[in-house]
Amino acid sequence: MAYRLIGKDFVPPDVPGKVTGRIKYAEDYARDGMVYARLLTSPVPHGRVVAIDASEALAMDGVYGILTADDVYPDGEPQSTGLKVLTNEPTLMGEPILAVAARDEKTAENAIAAISLTIERLPFVLDPLDSLQEGGENAYNGGNTFIFRQGFAEEKWTADQVASFRSGNEPTAEAQQSWEYGDLEAGFAASDFVHETTFSTAGYPHMSMEPRSAMAYWENGKCYLHGTSQSLSAIAEPMAAIVGVPLEDFVFINEATGGGFGQRARAGSIPSMAIPAKLSQKINRPVMMRVTREEEFTIGGARQGLQGWVKVGFKRDGSMAAMDMYCVSDNGGKGGGGDANSAAAGVSALYQTEAMRFRNTSIGTNTGHRGAQRGPGENQIMAIMAPIMDKAAEELGLDRLEIRKLNAAQNGDVSGPRSTPFTSAYMPEALEQAATQFDWEGKKGRSRQTNGTKVRGLGIGQGYHNAGRSGMDGLIRLMPSGRLQIHNGVGNLGTYSYASTSRAAAEVLMMEWENCDVVTGRTDRHLPITSPQDGSNSIFTNTRTCFGAAQDLLAKMKEIAAMDLGGDPADYEIDGSRIYQIADNTAGMTYAEVAQRGMELGGKFTGEAELPEELNTLTALSVSRLAGTGLMGIFHDPRHNDNPPGFTVTFTEIELDKETGKFEILDMVTVAECGTVVHPQGLANQLRGGAVWGIGLSVLERHLYDPQNGLPASSGYWQSKIPTYLDTPAQIGTGWVDLPDPENPVGARGIGEPSMGAVSAALNAAISDALGGHLFDTAPVTTDMIINHIAGVSEEATPLAQNNFRG
Amino acid sequence: MNPKLTRRRFIKGVIASGAVATSTTIWYAANGQARPAGAVERMIRININGQMRSVDVAPQETLASTLRYKLGLTGTKLGCNRGECGACTVLVDDIPSYACSVLTHSVKNKRVESVEGLEAANGDLHPVQQAFVDELSPQCGYCTPGQVMSAVGLLRSNPNPTREEARQGMAGNICRCGSYDSYLNGVMRAAQIG
């Protein structure tokens, strides 16, 4: 279908503000009378606050107040995992215990130094397997795991069971979580090549560029909170609940977010924003809480580490007949994360495994707060699976591209334990397009070619994520000026989907983009509910809502025209500025005139009557506050069917130096299969950015913890090894299949997360290829691991170990 | 690689910087510096974005603090405040410098340029800014002012860099969104139109 706006580049309205520095992040705001909060954080990885004596601090000149966990939770802290606003039961080094507000940060720091904190040091643990073993320490006060609707529990294996797993064997203990489909036994029996191995993937921090600073003040009973999030409107209601204020008295202000990557999607992952809000309420002054890089590391989240065992069987023709997977997931200090389940579901989706079993046990450690991080689970496991696919191809005498094509998801395919159909799937086309763009046929002969100390390696990777939701609302207004106001609650964290999804509304109404305003940035601009901007869902979810709202508006425009000019609404058409009779286009009204007429009519035309019954709470509140201010399009999106996938394919070529273990990425091409392309530049950015993240996962990023004291050693950018310009290729090729998905009105699906997984897979496969097919079965594969392998030195690290000083 | 951009040189500049102090409300509040006694209090004048600005400067005050909390130039971002990320990059006598790690006293006889100083009087964007818009270089945008300033500094010392030279020249700026490729596209476009 030919679109006027969809599929075209444009300048999102916030970009000039980003290049000039004018756009404001939370820390850029100030209020008269503003005071500053600093945090007293846990000095131990696991402890219990016994006493806090702040009398001396509170007597200091310039100190305005203190906030403790007892203030936040007067009835006691919730006995569950998850970050607390403040805590008396830290399970994480650096977890906030209290906050002090003072006239300046130095005074606040001095006050904190004057506080007497008595804390009972409790045993800590850094590795889930250490905790699982009988007699091992527990990360939480009530055990080492948290079971939904049951609470804390203790999960222990015998020493022999742990040792056997560490030795590379299938775990024998019963798993907490499992699912299965197909006939696993028959699948392995039918396999000509079976590969069995243990594997590990490291956890590592999100490290968004903007620390989660926040500023809050109260005015006329309302709380105004300047913060950071991945979705303005999805976070509003739960954040108001955390602050303890009714939704109608809560204003969340968030013009721009300096990176999210999964950890700012939900209020529960950024409860620290409530600290300045509650302090401000207590001392009746605006409070700014600037968060340091180290604090951001601590409470800013981390990817789950996985320690697992897989057994994969392939038939003679290369089809994946059976996959058995058992994971021990590192839930970190505050619980959270469902990476293992997503990893297994991802394998099922990408490789169309005929029979599959998944088992998982989640265990806490006193390490970083875990939660969703860009492609949680799928992106780790693809880095493990891609070299295994290559091994299977080699053993079965197949081309590496062909084995992937054979197992690729297509229209009509299903995946996962419920055999959920894809809304559409074009993985073979994506593989073919990427192979052509990369020139696989021309380059594949260079695999393992040596030149002095250098050796070439080629890799193919695939990425997947479920990439679309529904059930949200759309809200737009046609104003008497003739301008279209598109209210959009999607966060502004750099994907530009808050703007690109809005263009679906302009598309329906055939309006020039210049005549449209995206209304966003703060909740008192009255936004509709959106899904949290995570899970690569925004493009799918919010084009549906914007499209639906525009259709509602268009129907109202036609109804008004028919009412005033005669005939039936179906007799009318639009051209972007006028609505006119199809039979006589001189009979019509301008958009401005029809908006004015709608306001005269009121009622359903202006949001004062006949609202969709299913509107979400926030949307209903926004509509009530906007009622009568324009001709309104309001839409509640019904649930869609099936699984809208985001797929990617990456081809890469590296040159690895066998003397140093280092390598250079010579070429990298990533192709997206994400339905209709809505915003080409934005898509290319997601592919390139995802590539950088994939390189980080594959070879660089990690958590480092001091095993003696549990101290984090990777709280900065350099230690946690965020990829830089010099770690990434100077140019990354991009492309897209661009075939529409039937469950989205403009055919679009999401892509942000799989863009990373394909690269992590391709790079690990290329390293393996350069080393003659050696399988590290881990991510990241660091330089020292490569050089140790080349030198024939056995791994110094304990098998399956993570969160230690390896690498 | 542009030899002016090394980390060593920039750290050296910090160590060599001087120490004096004065007073104003916002900065002292943000940074918690006690108001110094009158004997050491001193106004200094700094050339910022082509204007001589009188400003109170404490001995240990960083340029990033001065810009953000005294002069209201919040375009300069603090990503790490420890010399790792480059979000606070400004130009000091045309040299990209981490403002979080430069003492303000060390720049009192120098020209400081922040992102706010790049637009023309008529509102036209600087070629680097325009190129970054055209290439949609930013993602979340938090590192963007620093990337802009590094690119401006690079192109002043090397107006026609190769892509590899640009990559090396920009290497002091981290972008967690991973928009490096798009920033390099912007630098190369700016070199063409600049």
Side-chain angles (χ1 to χ4, degrees):
Chain A
M1 180 176 171
Y3 292 109
R4 299 168 57 258
L5 300 174
I6 300 297
K8 309 288 194 303
D9 282 328
F10 67 106
V11 177
D14 59 308
V15 176
K18 286 178 173 172
V19 301
T20 57
R22 286 204 190 92
I23 199 163
K24 284 188 183 294
Y25 300 79
E27 195 187 313
D28 298 333
Y29 289 91
R31 294 287 291 184
D32 287 345
M34 189 170 79
V35 299
Y36 294 81
R38 290 294 299 132
L39 298 169
L40 172 60
T41 63
S42 175
V44 296
H46 188 193
R48 182 182 290 114
V49 173
V50 175
I52 297 169
D53 181 357
S55 53
E56 187 184 338
L58 290 171
M60 291 170 67
D61 184 37
V63 173
Y64 292 107
I66 184 173
L67 190 77
T68 67
D70 292 341
D71 296 316
V72 178
Y73 306 108
D75 300 326
E77 289 182 39
Q79 289 305 300
S80 63
T81 49
L83 276 174
K84 310 295 189 299
V85 178
L86 295 165
T87 187
N88 286 327
E89 299 174 351
T91 49
L92 185 59
M93 175 82 74
E95 194 172 356
I97 290 173
L98 61 84
V100 169
R103 68 176 169 229
D104 54 52
E105 288 187 334
K106 186 69 175 173
T107 304
E109 291 277 9
N110 287 342
I112 282 171
I115 290 173
S116 173
L117 172 72
T118 307
I119 191 164
E120 178 188 359
R121 181 191 289 266
L122 298 172
F124 69 91
V125 64
L126 301 177
D127 189 314
L129 295 184
D130 290 342
S131 182
L132 258 180
Q133 184 163 318
E134 277 174 334
E137 305 296 355
N138 293 333
Y140 314 135
N141 293 344
N144 63 353
T145 190
F146 184 84
I147 299 175
F148 186 57
R149 290 183 178 150
Q150 293 181 36
F152 288 105
E154 194 173 66
E155 184 84 39
K156 297 293 173 187
W157 294 1
T158 66
D160 286 347
Q161 284 176 315
V162 172
S164 173
F165 181 32
R166 280 191 160 129
S167 301
N169 300 313
E170 176 184 359
T172 55
E174 187 178 347
Q176 293 172 347
Q177 177 188 12
S178 64
W179 50 258
E180 186 172 354
Y181 68 82
D183 188 336
L184 200 67
E185 200 175 325
F188 282 120
S191 296
D192 286 275
F193 172 69
V194 176
H195 181 75
E196 178 183 345
T197 185
T198 52
F199 69 92
S200 66
T201 66
Y204 56 86
H206 291 62
M207 284 294 196
S208 296
M209 292 297 290
E210 179 202 14
R212 56 194 59 209
S213 300
M215 189 269 277
Y217 60 95
W218 293 71
E219 209 167 75
N220 299 325
K222 283 191 174 186
C223 176
Y224 293 80
L225 176 58
H226 293 262
T228 179
S229 79
Q230 292 176 220
S231 167
L232 275 153
S233 58
I235 217 164
E237 194 169 355
M239 199 68 222
I242 292 174
V243 172
V245 61
L247 178 61
E248 54 268 29
D249 293 330
F250 180 66
V251 179
F252 185 59
I253 304 148
N254 183 196
E255 296 277 354
T257 296
F261 315 115
Q263 230 286 328
R264 299 182 187 193
R266 320 254 166 170
S269 61
I270 31 178
S272 58
M273 291 195 298
I275 295 172
K278 284 182 168 291
L279 254 179
S280 174
Q281 186 179 32
K282 188 172 180 180
I283 65 175
N284 198 25
R285 292 167 189 272
V287 174
M288 166 68 82
M289 183 180 73
R290 299 198 305 166
V291 168
T292 66
R293 176 52 44 192
E294 292 80 1
E295 290 164 350
E296 176 65 22
F297 166 84
T298 302
I299 58 176
R303 182 180 290 274
Q304 279 194 305
L306 301 178
Q307 296 159 300
W309 168 90
V310 288
K311 182 178 173 186
V312 201
F314 296 84
K315 292 180 184 169
R316 168 62 57 196
D317 67 356
S319 56
M320 192 183 281
M323 165 91 172
D324 196 3
M325 179 176 176
Y326 194 127
C327 285
V328 174
S329 300
D330 186 346
N331 265 12
K334 307 309 297 180
D339 290 31
N341 183 54
S342 300
V347 170
S348 173
L350 263 187
Y351 299 123
Q352 291 295 293
T353 316
E354 292 170 18
M356 188 157 181
R357 178 168 64 166
F358 162 69
R359 290 168 288 172
N360 176 63
T361 291
S362 296
I363 299 296
T365 59
N366 299 102
T367 65
H369 160 56
R370 308 307 168 120
Q373 185 189 94
R374 199 170 195 162
E378 299 98 336
N379 290 351
Q380 293 103 301
I381 202 66
M382 296 319 159
I384 302 299
M385 288 302 298
I388 293 175
M389 293 297 288
D390 291 344
K391 183 88 173 173
E394 189 168 8
E395 293 291 333
L396 296 169
L398 300 169
D399 179 271
R400 289 196 274 163
L401 174 59
E402 293 308 315
I403 194 171
R404 286 168 170 86
K405 279 186 185 173
L406 186 78
N407 289 288
Q410 309 181 49
N411 274 338
D413 283 343
V414 301
S415 72
R418 297 186 187 88
S419 297
T420 310
F422 295 114
T423 52
S424 64
Y426 300 98
M427 180 49 96
E429 289 84 347
L431 282 162
E432 194 58 51
Q433 183 170 333
T436 302
Q437 206 167 321
F438 178 78
D439 187 19
W440 171 251
E441 283 304 316
K443 289 180 178 173
K444 67 180 183 183
R446 301 211 286 247
S447 165
R448 303 182 190 180
Q449 276 187 0
T450 58
N451 179 17
T453 63
K454 309 281 181 65
V455 59
R456 294 288 174 99
L458 282 87
I460 307 172
Q462 293 159 277
Y464 159 78
H465 196 279
N466 166 284
R469 300 186 188 130
S470 49
M472 301 296 129
D473 301 329
L475 174 58
I476 62 174
R477 288 182 300 156
L478 187 62
M479 307 305 288
S481 63
R483 294 189 70 80
L484 182 67
Q485 306 253 301
I486 305 163
H487 295 248
N488 198 320
V490 171
N492 177 9
L493 71 157
T495 64
Y496 301 111
S497 53
Y498 80 92
S500 54
T501 59
S502 296
R503 285 161 70 86
E507 186 78 52
V508 171
L509 297 168
M510 301 180 72
M511 290 189 71
E512 297 297 328
W513 184 237
E514 291 68 28
N515 294 330
C516 302
D517 303 307
V518 182
V519 181
T520 184
R522 46 191 298 157
T523 55
D524 58 359
R525 291 183 183 140
H526 314 307
L527 310 175
I529 196 73
T530 62
S531 173
Q533 193 180 2
D534 60 0
S536 303
N537 85 92
S538 296
I539 283 285
F540 181 91
T541 310
N542 298 296
T543 47
R544 284 171 64 100
T545 57
C546 289
F547 191 95
Q551 283 192 315
D552 181 58
L553 182 65
L554 180 57
K556 288 169 178 168
M557 290 169 69
K558 290 183 175 181
E559 191 175 337
I560 290 170
M563 201 183 303
D564 283 13
L565 302 174
D568 189 81
D571 299 335
Y572 287 83
E573 192 48 272
I574 56 170
D575 67 2
S577 61
R578 287 180 75 248
I579 182 163
Y580 57 88
Q581 283 183 357
I582 298 167
D584 174 14
N585 66 10
T586 61
M589 304 166 80
T590 65
Y591 281 17
E593 288 168 342
V594 78
Q596 181 62 46
R597 183 71 179 116
M599 289 180 67
E600 291 166 8
L601 292 166
K604 71 175 182 182
F605 296 105
T606 53
E608 291 160 295
E610 299 180 43
L611 305 179
E613 285 181 6
E614 309 87 345
L615 277 187
N616 288 281
T617 306
L618 182 77
T619 315
L621 182 65
S622 295
V623 170
S624 71
R625 287 172 167 173
L626 289 170
T629 61
L631 177 57
M632 215 175 278
I634 309 165
F635 176 65
H636 175 74
D637 184 17
R639 295 287 173 183
H640 72 278
N641 296 317
D642 305 335
N643 168 19
F647 285 127
T648 46
V649 174
T650 297
F651 282 70
T652 194
E653 180 179 15
I654 65 167
E655 186 173 70
L656 189 148
D657 189 330
K658 295 173 91 166
E659 278 195 336
T660 65
K662 291 186 173 294
F663 63 86
E664 186 181 352
I665 299 172
L666 302 177
D667 195 5
M668 181 173 280
V669 170
T670 295
V671 166
E673 198 285 272
C674 56
T676 301
V677 174
V678 173
H679 180 202
Q681 275 190 324
L683 172 55
N685 264 0
Q686 287 305 301
L687 294 177
R688 294 170 186 145
V692 172
W693 274 75
I695 292 165
L697 189 159
S698 183
V699 296
L700 293 169
E701 298 190 49
R702 67 270 172 92
H703 262 155
L704 301 176
Y705 282 88
D706 152 34
Q708 180 171 316
N709 300 302
L711 291 165
S714 53
S715 60
Y717 285 116
W718 293 108
Q719 300 96 330
S720 58
K721 293 285 188 187
I722 308 302
T724 72
Y725 275 96
L726 302 183
D727 297 312
T728 55
Q731 208 142 20
I732 299 166
T734 59
W736 33 85
V737 175
D738 204 10
L739 291 171
D741 186 280
E743 282 292 322
N744 183 276
V746 299
R749 301 192 238 108
I751 201 63
E753 289 162 283
S755 61
M756 174 186 175
V759 171
S760 65
L763 191 49
N764 264 20
I767 293 168
S768 172
D769 185 42
L771 298 175
H774 175 70
L775 301 181
F776 286 100
D777 297 320
T778 191
V781 173
T782 59
T783 303
D784 69 322
M785 293 165 67
I786 294 172
I787 202 70
N788 280 343
H789 167 72
I790 293 168
V793 177
S794 64
E795 278 294 316
E796 292 177 1
T798 310
L800 293 175
Q802 49 184 11
N803 299 324
N804 63 16
F805 284 94
R806 180 171 66 169
Chain B
M1 180 178 173
N2 181 353
K4 292 175 179 172
L5 301 183
T6 65
R7 190 175 164 82
R8 178 185 300 275
R9 181 188 175 97
F10 140 76
I11 292 169
K12 199 173 155 188
V14 175
I15 295 167
S17 53
V20 199
T22 51
S23 67
T24 325
T25 308
I26 297 174
W27 183 87
Y28 285 111
N31 291 275
Q33 302 302 326
R35 282 172 193 273
V40 293
E41 193 166 328
R42 193 173 102 185
M43 275 309 231
I44 67 168
R45 286 169 63 76
I46 312 173
N47 182 339
I48 295 184
N49 296 330
Q51 291 185 322
M52 293 305 295
R53 302 284 297 268
S54 295
V55 60
D56 303 332
V57 177
Q60 67 275 47
E61 182 175 331
T62 67
L63 183 55
S65 289
T66 306
L67 293 172
R68 286 184 56 82
Y69 305 119
K70 284 189 177 172
L71 300 174
L73 299 173
T74 55
T76 298
K77 304 299 181 195
L78 285 169
C80 65
N81 211 10
R82 50 194 256 181
E84 290 184 344
C85 75
C88 62
T89 302
V90 297
L91 300 184
V92 178
D93 285 348
D94 295 326
I95 299 171
S97 307
Y98 291 170
C100 75
S101 305
V102 171
L103 294 180
T104 307
H105 277 280
S106 71
V107 301
K108 61 186 175 183
N109 296 316
K110 298 177 179 177
R111 284 181 299 109
V112 176
E113 292 172 80
S114 71
V115 71
E116 290 90 347
L118 293 180
E119 283 172 89
N122 66 1
D124 285 351
L125 296 178
H126 183 281
V128 167
Q129 292 173 312
Q130 187 59 55
F132 279 17
V133 170
D134 294 342
E135 293 290 343
L136 197 67
S137 302
Q139 290 190 35
C140 84
Y142 201 77
C143 75
T144 303
Q147 304 275 359
V148 168
M149 298 314 293
S150 284
V152 171
L154 168 71
L155 295 176
R156 281 186 190 164
S157 64
N158 182 2
N160 291 296
T162 63
R163 195 173 180 93
E164 180 56 26
E165 287 171 338
R167 181 174 173 239
Q168 296 286 340
M170 299 289 288
N173 292 71
I174 284 177
C175 170
R176 184 50 161 158
C177 298
S179 215
Y180 299 126
D181 205 355
S182 301
Y183 281 121
L184 289 179
N185 288 343
V187 175
M188 300 313 288
R189 178 187 279 258
Q192 286 177 347
I193 65 176

